[in-house]
């Protein structure tokens, strides 16, 4: 990953979240999408059959791998990742973007893993 010194403010925020949730795929809220970057993007794009794109450049001038899913459809994607054995950390915008001065603050609001699933929308009715 690139140095946080040369990263944009939003990427620094993402990298901070990733350090906090090292063992999870971080769904990082960016407007109407949850975006994943770096290794998370590579893994999620493969697992979910998403298009892998890139965002800006890292310190070495290379494109940063990125993929994303619309927020309104995120539960289905999270469920698919968890069924495949991944943990997913949801980092949400925790302030109104219209009222934020500068960068919108984001925080991890929940981690979903195979052992924590209780939401019926993630579970198969015929499986224990």
């Amino acid at each position: 990953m690139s140095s946080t010194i040369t990263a944009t403010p939003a990427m620094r925020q993402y990298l901070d979240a990733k350090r906090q949730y090292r063992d999870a795929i971080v769904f990082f809220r960016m407007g109407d999408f949850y975006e994943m970057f770096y290794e998370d993007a590579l893994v999620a794009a493969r697992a979910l059959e998403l298009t892998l794109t890139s965002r800006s450049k890292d310190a070495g001038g290379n494109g940063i791998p990125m993929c994303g899913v619309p927020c309104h459809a995120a539960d289905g994607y999270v469920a698919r990742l968890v069924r495949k054995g991944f943990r997913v950390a949801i980092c949400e915008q925790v302030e109104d973007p219209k009222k934020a001065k500068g960068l919108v603050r984001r925080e991890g609001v929940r981690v979903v893993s195979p052992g924590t699933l209780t939401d019926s929308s993630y579970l198969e009715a015929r499986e224990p």
Side-chain angles (χ1 to χ4, degrees), residues 26-126:
V26 175
F27 270 42
F28 192 72
R29 180 78 179 257
M30 300 283 274
D32 292 335
F33 286 83
Y34 286 108
E35 294 183 1
M36 292 143 277
F37 303 99
Y38 296 104
E39 186 66 24
D40 285 356
L42 299 172
V43 170
R46 260 191 317 271
L48 298 171
E49 299 175 5
L50 299 174
T51 300
L52 185 66
T53 63
S54 66
R55 174 190 177 96
S56 59
K57 304 282 182 209
D58 64 15
N62 303 307
I64 297 169
M66 178 184 94
C67 68
V69 299
C71 291
H72 67 83
D75 284 347
Y77 290 103
V78 169
R80 286 172 56 196
L81 285 169
V82 171
R83 276 191 220 110
K84 292 178 182 225
F86 296 101
R87 294 182 58 185
V88 179
I90 309 296
C91 287
E92 197 60 72
Q93 294 175 175
V94 293
E95 63 182 336
D96 184 340
K98 293 179 186 88
K99 296 178 181 169
K101 289 182 172 42
L103 187 64
V104 175
R105 198 165 45 93
R106 293 172 180 85
E107 292 178 3
V109 295
R110 68 186 171 134
V111 176
V112 184
S113 68
T116 63
L117 283 185
T118 56
D119 188 319
S120 61
S121 65
Y122 292 135
L123 301 172
E124 294 294 328
R126 291 179 288 281

